[in-house]
Amino acid sequence: MSDIQMNTAPAHRRHGSNIGQPLTRRDGVAKVTGAAPYAADRHPDGMLHAVMAVSTISHGRVVELDTDAASAHPGVVAVMTSENRPPLAVDPDEKTNPFAFRLDALQNDGVRYAGQPIAVVIAETIEAANEGVSLLNPCYAPEHPRVALDQDDAFVPPVVGPGMPAEAGIGDVDKGMADAVRRIEAVYETPPQYHNAMEPHSIVATWDGDRLNVDTPTQGLALSQGRIAELFGIAPENIHIRSPFLGGGFGSKGLLSGPIALGILAAKMVERPVKLVVRRDQMFGPLSHRGATRQTLRLGVDGEGRLTAVSHHTLATTSVHDDFVEPSSNVSQTIYASPAIATSHEAVRLHIGTPGFMRAPGEASGSIALESAIDEAAYACGMDPLAFRLANYAEVEPISGKPFSSKALRECYAQAARKFGWADRPLEPHSMRDADGMLVGWGMGTALFPAMMFEGHARALIRDDGTGAVEIGAHDMGQGAWTALAQIAADSLALDLDSTDFRSGSSDLPDAGIAGGSGHTATAGMAIHKAGEDAIAKLAALALADQASPLYGAGNAGVEARDGHLFVSGDEGRSESYADILRRAGKQQVEGNGTSAANPDAQEQYSLNAHGAVFAEVKVDPDFGQVRVSRMVGAFAAGRIINPRMVESQLFGGMIWGLSFALHEQAVTDRRTGRIMNADLAEYHVPVNADVPPMECLLVPEEDAHVNALGIKGVGEIGITGSAGAIANAVWHATGARIRNFPISMDAISGARER
Amino acid sequence: MKRFDYVRPANIADAIEAGSAPGAAYLGAGTNLIDLMKGDVVRPDRIVDITRLPQLDAIEALPDGDFRVGALVRNADLAYHPDFAAKFPLVAEALLSGASAQLRNAATIGGNLLQRTRCRYFYDPASACNKRESGAGCDAIEGENRTHAILGWSKECTATHPSDLCVALAALDAVVEVEGASGRRDVPLVDLHRLPGDTPDRETDLAPGDLIVAIRLPAQSAGFARHARYLKIRERTSYAFAMVSAGAALEIENGAIRRARIALGAVAAKPWRAVAAEAALEGATPDTAAFERAADIALSDARASGDNAFKIDLARRVIVRALLRAAAGTPNRMPALPGSAFAPTAGELDHV
């Protein structure tokens, strides 16, 4: 992506290694000046606008659409329905692989959830397309929908989340419960939450014969390319996707969605470039969401405050037509030590869009339930919640018995507790007030997220002018990949950042794997690291074989790369610049390639996770039950930190989402129709600035020799875990009201306080 | 978006003529209207852009001590007008508790009076709504209605009026200047909005073409400046509509309440003035017991219209707190979180 201009401000002069430097975003100036192109900013010549019509029923059939009225509206070019849309090579309902979610791409007249696309109007202007949609005036044959957890028989799904077993365990939970001195049983409910990144899903599609150019934000360039190729029956190499910037992904832009396929179909139908931007209210349906859960936690505790049994059961929603079950119970497999653990899941099929990956899928919803239950158990034992967690500290992963590859959680607890002032916390709830008479409460939660890696590839070049280039189809969702991966790229070639041309965000570059599972920096970073290593090795081979080089014959000693030079190891006097080596060899460049993947040996031997601890203070109005978070302190240990500024920002973002989870966010579903009634950002509440307190984020140093050669664990999702529970626990500590339905509402607090 | 005619009249007379046609809608800042048009909730045939009409954007002190505020004055400009805010701090606090800074910079005072309900079923064209279409039915009655009305509702409609400004204006006896085909007339703010009855589609007493040109705050309402507070309870700290709000204003003389004003927001289809509760406070000592009695009177006719019984007790508590805050005195500076339960109470108070 040579058209992306990066900062070259002095802030990027490095001192020593690039890795570890808190560089500002290299794409920052481009973003604040509007020069950074997002997909919907593209406007090729002759482009038309497409707008989806979506269903207002959640179960039934579309019987009639007034396509004549829509087509007759000035400016409307075409109306695409299930009756006339161009053919696809593969049925969008076919499950071609476990990650090929069924799409709604006008394959028939059926409706299986509210907000499902039922037609697309294509017009010269967005206004004309919108009015065309209004004029379609659909008639339905509605059937009774199932839209709530209680409205279907539960079943045990074959897998949960991205392919984990639905049930797992160790030891005898019944015996553990029988042996317990104290038992906690509680049911927690989490609501459906819908993806609402600032940038909605969007596409500009341009066909050129059987070649296709696509601008769309994606967290998985190669996966999207493959899925489009499969659906449209064209070769992947005939598809070029540009995705230099995403205005947030959070899991919703990893796998190709129906609306993106519809944009490509629309362009095919009208044989002109087409832009389709999902409207905000249309985000609440075909673009995956965090499914609702009802979680039952049973904990047994012995006389010393040690867990004797943990049982975590989740009832979660999935759609009538596909499977994604929020794997909430699995958080209980790793965090706290217990001789007996049972995790299980059931699902119900509802007329909803298929749930999917949403920042910490399973970990976030499971964490708020588990951390609440742990807090309830601590209080039942008369123990400080931190002391209780330390008493149940897992020295090895409880369910597998594997050691942790590294686990600086004790340091996280200690540092965050000290910073927060936790030692002064009274054990009893409802015992602190501020000068204004507000109830004050302190709560905490443990954060954990697995350290994952996928397969990724990168290419590195060293050129005869002494500069380097690194190419990888990586994804910057706002987390700072343009900066952090460039730092790794420069180090991989032992060059300055300014001497390293970093190219990314395009499908014609090497496949970087999916930007998900908090694994992108590790995956792309390791591919880059190895590509750089390979390029250096090839350069070294040139020099070592060249009698004119000062490095000639140093093969046994080896060489080191530093500052654009190769040195003979242990002999600083023998060195040569990259440029000199290449020029004398008559080569313009050497190319190195690198592939990364999770290390199966490490996975076999160790439990690989990032850890953290979050402490929160809330204030609650005693009369109204209105809550405001007043302080949050998090400490996280996530292996090697490539760019602490970016990492802190990601962790803050996660902590704020935790706040949102505990207090604000929920889709309100009409119980009769299944329509989501708060499908806009005025009513679908996320925290605004006034809700976000002063926050601190401590990065606890941690070296991990097992996760990967760079020691990177990932920080994208862990911030939301622990945080939501910390706030829920703080609300209890302030009020004495244990609210188990999330988000915590003012009427729930007031009602509980009166009982 | 539906095609519409766009008219930009040069003067008020032309505006009224253009606005009298069936299907016409006046456009101020459009902070509500444009959203409604984009969502297909309202589909006007003609937009009459009044934003360039002359002489509607002044804030003036009249010779008799009244304040007159033109309909096109921006919310933020009124809230930060030093003379106005000093005399009517309740209005300023209510304004600053609403929307966001960006919206307050754009939204007009006249438009604020005529903003539509936030009932989710009104905003959803696929739902039945008697407000949108007379006789269509009401899907809110059996639907998601925990934020809905507890006073003055009917079985045809339980929607609430969302304005913060109107609550303060109702409390302070504001008058709305309306110009129409038959000339100019004054309408007391409390009479502008109608309760739903069996015609929830008729939201105000305005006739087609009627144009709000100004509001007036009477001089005697400035007598509450020392003891006037707005309190807005909501589900996030800012940028959310009220669950319940209250404006409270007191005139206290020799330790006794001489005059009291109480109005509630987000409880009915109109800003809800609690006249009987005000009367009960006259002559009383400003203390919690008196305020609780007044709150009970204010809510004596309240009843749940759905899953919102909690709002009745919430409204009682909001009245009591608003009155306590008013009795404690108007802060000499606008609190950091205007109208919020979390507005700091510590610090200097004005005049006391």
Side-chain angles (χ1 to χ4, degrees):
Chain A
M1 298 300 299
S2 52
D3 56 336
I4 310 296
Q5 294 300 311
M6 294 294 160
N7 294 0
T8 52
H12 297 113
R13 301 277 176 261
R14 77 189 172 98
H15 303 282
S17 169
N18 293 290
I19 289 175
Q21 300 295 317
L23 305 187
T24 57
R25 278 178 169 71
R26 298 171 65 238
D27 46 345
V29 169
K31 279 186 174 169
V32 298
T33 57
Y38 288 79
D41 295 331
R42 309 280 186 176
H43 203 103
D45 288 343
M47 188 191 79
L48 298 174
H49 296 265
V51 173
M52 296 187 294
V54 302
S55 73
T56 55
I57 64 163
S58 46
H59 183 199
R61 277 187 318 114
V62 179
V63 175
E64 201 180 319
L65 290 164
D66 194 346
T67 53
D68 290 346
S71 301
H73 186 71
V76 170
V77 173
V79 179
M80 186 168 74
T81 69
S82 62
E83 292 183 357
N84 68 350
R85 75 123 159 88
L88 289 173
V90 165
D91 182 349
D93 275 330
E94 192 175 321
K95 202 87 177 162
T96 51
N97 72 68
F99 288 103
F101 281 87
R102 295 190 170 97
L103 306 176
D104 290 288
L106 303 177
Q107 56 265 42
N108 54 48
D109 61 2
V111 173
R112 43 202 190 186
Y113 58 92
Q116 177 191 315
I118 55 172
V120 176
V121 177
I122 306 146
E124 298 285 351
T125 64
I126 185 84
E127 290 81 6
N130 273 318
E131 182 61 11
V133 166
S134 296
L135 293 169
L136 284 173
N137 200 22
C139 284
Y140 301 97
E143 291 174 55
H144 187 71
R146 302 190 302 273
V147 298
L149 271 175
D150 295 319
Q151 289 177 335
D152 188 38
D153 293 334
F155 67 97
V156 177
V159 295
V160 296
M164 306 146 169
E167 295 179 351
I170 188 170
D172 185 339
V173 165
D174 290 338
K175 179 176 182 303
M177 290 302 286
D179 292 347
V181 174
R182 290 186 183 79
R183 294 171 195 86
I184 297 291
E185 177 161 355
V187 179
Y188 305 87
E189 295 207 18
T190 65
Q193 299 176 349
Y194 278 77
H195 278 290
N196 271 286
M198 284 302 289
E199 178 204 33
H201 295 63
S202 53
I203 179 169
V204 176
T206 307
W207 286 92
D208 176 10
D210 68 346
R211 300 186 65 84
L212 174 65
N213 289 303
V214 170
D215 290 293
T216 192
T218 175
Q219 297 172 246
L221 281 161
L223 271 177
S224 294
Q225 191 185 36
R227 183 76 160 129
I228 294 169
E230 171 185 277
L231 284 169
F232 288 86
I234 55 176
E237 53 272 22
N238 281 4
I239 301 164
H240 182 207
I241 306 175
R242 294 187 296 184
S243 182
F245 301 107
L246 288 81
F250 307 113
S252 76
K253 293 169 181 163
L255 304 169
L256 192 82
S257 62
I260 301 304
L262 288 171
I264 302 170
L265 280 166
K268 190 156 188 101
M269 183 166 179
V270 297
E271 298 180 326
R272 283 169 68 177
V274 164
K275 178 189 295 189
L276 188 152
V277 180
V278 174
R279 274 202 327 249
R280 182 60 61 185
D281 58 298
Q282 296 175 338
M283 293 293 294
F284 294 77
L287 295 159
S288 97
H289 69 283
R290 195 191 303 282
T293 72
R294 178 180 298 150
Q295 300 176 54
T296 305
L297 270 292
R298 292 191 301 137
L299 306 181
V301 190
D302 71 13
E304 265 83 60
R306 281 193 296 267
L307 291 163
T308 58
V310 174
S311 164
H312 192 157
H313 176 76
T314 297
L315 176 66
T317 60
T318 188
S319 68
V320 294
H321 56 283
D322 215 336
D323 295 278
F324 185 93
V325 178
E326 178 87 355
S328 309
S329 297
N330 291 358
V331 297
S332 290
Q333 297 174 358
T334 309
I335 302 187
Y336 299 109
S338 171
I341 295 174
T343 62
S344 56
H345 298 80
E346 287 178 288
V348 294
R349 293 200 181 280
L350 304 181
H351 293 98
I352 56 175
T354 306
F357 300 97
M358 187 164 181
R359 203 175 196 180
E363 291 85 2
S365 51
S367 170
I368 195 169
L370 175 62
E371 293 303 318
S372 294
I374 289 288
D375 207 62
E376 297 197 39
Y379 184 67
C381 296
M383 288 175 72
D384 172 81
L386 175 54
F388 184 82
R389 283 169 172 84
L390 287 168
N392 291 285
Y393 195 86
E395 302 293 350
V396 297
E397 184 177 47
I399 201 150
S400 68
K402 293 179 195 172
F404 293 99
S405 62
S406 60
K407 181 176 179 179
L409 177 57
R410 276 205 180 83
E411 291 78 0
C412 293
Y413 283 142
Q415 290 190 24
R418 193 176 324 120
K419 192 83 184 173
F420 186 85
W422 182 259
D424 297 332
R425 177 183 180 275
L427 210 54
E428 288 302 314
H430 201 250
S431 52
M432 296 195 290
R433 288 202 186 230
D434 72 4
D436 293 325
M438 294 289 165
L439 304 172
V440 178
W442 291 358
M444 67 166 296
T446 305
L448 181 136
F449 197 84
M452 294 186 222
M453 277 183 75
F454 308 101
E455 185 176 323
H457 307 272
R459 181 162 53 234
L461 307 172
I462 300 172
R463 299 179 292 214
D464 65 358
D465 61 357
T467 66
V470 169
E471 299 182 327
I472 183 165
H475 316 87
D476 195 328
M477 305 166 290
Q479 85 276 33
W482 278 111
T483 310
L485 294 182
Q487 288 174 260
I488 297 172
D491 276 15
S492 79
L493 294 174
L495 287 168
D496 277 333
L497 202 50
D498 293 345
S499 305
T500 310
D501 185 9
F502 179 67
R503 301 172 190 150
S504 183
S506 179
S507 68
D508 53 3
L509 300 174
D511 172 11
I514 195 165
S518 298
H520 200 43
T521 307
T523 302
M526 277 305 300
I528 292 167
H529 179 73
K530 289 185 173 175
E533 218 168 48
D534 188 35
I536 299 270
K538 285 177 174 156
L539 186 71
L542 286 179
L544 294 173
D546 182 350
Q547 295 187 15
S549 170
L551 281 71
Y552 177 69
N556 290 337
V559 297
E560 287 171 22
R562 200 162 71 242
D563 292 332
H565 290 71
L566 295 183
F567 294 80
V568 175
S569 294
D571 186 354
E572 289 289 309
R574 291 173 68 191
S575 75
E576 191 170 30
S577 75
Y578 296 175
D580 288 347
I581 296 168
L582 284 168
R583 283 191 199 121
R584 208 174 42 252
K587 287 185 179 294
Q588 289 186 325
Q589 61 184 39
V590 287
E591 177 181 317
N593 291 282
T595 293
S596 64
N599 176 355
D601 291 341
Q603 288 179 318
E604 181 62 33
Q605 291 173 33
Y606 297 100
S607 177
L608 315 170
N609 304 280
H611 299 88
V614 182
F615 293 77
E617 176 185 87
V618 303
K619 302 202 171 176
V620 183
D621 189 290
D623 294 332
F624 313 133
Q626 193 176 338
V627 181
R628 192 174 190 219
V629 180
S630 45
R631 268 190 317 137
M632 287 180 86
V633 177
F636 299 90
R640 180 187 283 191
I641 300 304
I642 302 301
N643 183 322
R645 186 189 303 268
M646 307 290 135
V647 163
E648 192 174 77
S649 180
Q650 284 228 72
L651 292 169
F652 280 150
M655 290 164 73
I656 292 167
W657 202 328
L659 191 167
S660 188
F661 200 123
L663 300 180
H664 296 297
E665 201 171 339
Q666 68 171 327
V668 176
T669 306
D670 183 276
R671 58 198 93 166
R672 300 155 300 182
T673 65
R675 276 201 300 282
I676 290 164
M677 300 308 295
N678 58 340
D680 62 62
L681 289 182
E683 303 294 341
Y684 185 85
H685 282 187
V686 296
V688 296
N689 283 337
D691 294 305
V692 178
M695 293 171 51
E696 287 180 275
C697 174
L698 311 172
L699 302 178
V700 175
E702 185 181 70
E703 285 181 20
D704 192 309
H706 306 292
V707 282
N708 49 60
L710 289 170
I712 299 168
K713 285 183 171 176
V715 295
E717 294 163 270
I718 189 172
I720 185 170
T721 71
S723 299
I727 290 165
N729 294 335
V731 169
W732 169 80
H733 190 239
T735 62
R738 177 65 69 179
I739 310 302
R740 301 185 183 91
N741 281 12
F742 301 105
I744 294 171
S745 68
M746 60 174 69
D747 35 321
I749 292 174
S750 295
R753 276 166 55 76
E754 274 153 30
R755 275 197 294 277
Chain B
M1 190 181 274
K2 179 184 167 184
R3 291 189 153 201
F4 54 85
D5 292 332
Y6 173 84
V7 185
R8 190 194 293 166
N11 54 55
I12 290 174
D14 288 355
I16 290 166
E17 194 185 331
S20 299
Y26 290 124
L27 174 71
T31 56
N32 192 197
L33 178 66
I34 302 295
D35 276 356
L36 291 165
M37 289 170 67
K38 284 182 177 172
D40 254 350
V41 180
V42 299
R43 292 171 63 85
D45 300 308
R46 174 188 285 184
I47 291 297
V48 182
D49 181 353
I50 60 168
T51 56
R52 289 171 174 81
L53 290 180
Q55 296 166 338
L56 291 185
D57 60 354
I59 304 168
E60 341 161 53
L62 302 177
D64 59 1
D66 288 5
F67 256 78
R68 185 171 185 277
V69 180
L72 292 179
V73 169
R74 309 284 166 179
N75 283 10
D77 290 337
L78 184 59
Y80 293 117
H81 189 280
D83 297 341
F84 180 87
K87 286 199 159 55
F88 307 103
L90 181 62
V91 176
E93 187 168 22
L95 279 169
L96 293 177
S97 77
S100 64
Q102 295 89 333
L103 285 166
R104 292 193 296 269
N105 285 339
T108 65
I109 296 297
N112 187 298
L113 270 50
L114 297 181
Q115 67 183 291
R116 310 297 296 274
T117 181
R118 306 305 296 198
C119 172
R120 290 160 174 169
Y121 295 89
F122 173 75
Y123 276 76
D124 173 27
S127 293
C129 175
N130 286 321
K131 224 180 227 319
R132 252 189 292 108
E133 189 188 342
S134 182
C138 172
D139 277 346
I141 297 275
E142 300 288 328
E144 304 304 318
N145 52 24
R146 63 187 277 274
T147 63
H148 281 62
I150 53 172
L151 284 162
W153 52 273
S154 73
K155 63 184 192 336
E156 312 294 331
C157 182
T158 60
T160 63
H161 195 257
S163 169
D164 296 299
L165 169 66
C166 286
V167 177
L169 295 181
L172 297 179
D173 300 308
V175 171
V176 183
E177 292 182 17
V178 178
E179 192 148 327
S182 51
R184 192 168 289 212
R185 69 183 193 276
D186 284 351
V187 179
L189 187 283
V190 291
D191 296 333
L192 180 70
H193 303 95
R194 299 163 59 112
L195 291 176
D198 51 12
T199 54
D201 54 312
R202 289 218 48 203
E203 296 180 346
T204 68
D205 274 349
L206 299 182
D210 276 356
L211 178 67
I212 293 174
V213 294
I215 56 168
R216 284 202 317 277
L217 272 297
Q220 62 266 32
S221 290
F224 295 109
R226 295 176 178 200
H227 295 284
R229 290 303 300 272
Y230 187 70
L231 178 62
K232 178 180 183 181
I233 301 308
R234 46 180 155 174
E235 296 192 295
R236 61 183 168 191
T237 310
S238 182
Y239 193 53
F241 291 94
M243 186 67 83
V244 171
S245 71
L250 298 170
E251 207 175 287
I252 299 175
E253 222 172 58
N254 302 323
I257 297 169
R258 205 170 79 82
R259 293 193 297 162
R261 295 286 183 272
I262 302 167
L264 289 166
V267 296
K270 61 186 291 183
W272 192 267
R273 179 82 178 262
V275 179
E278 294 170 4
L281 283 176
E282 280 178 23
T285 307
D287 59 17
T288 304
F291 296 156
E292 285 177 345
R293 279 196 303 277
D296 285 343
I297 293 169
L299 275 305
S300 57
D301 292 335
R303 62 206 167 94
S305 61
D307 297 331
N308 61 350
F310 76 96
K311 282 185 68 169
I312 300 172
D313 192 51
L314 178 63
R316 274 195 201 98
R317 294 169 190 229
V318 171
I319 290 176
V320 172
R321 179 80 65 84
L323 284 165
L324 284 168
R325 283 189 173 183
T330 309
N332 59 10
R333 279 197 316 174
M334 186 60 68
L337 293 168
S340 172
F342 295 100
T345 55
E348 287 179 56
L349 298 169
D350 197 18
H351 311 301
V352 291

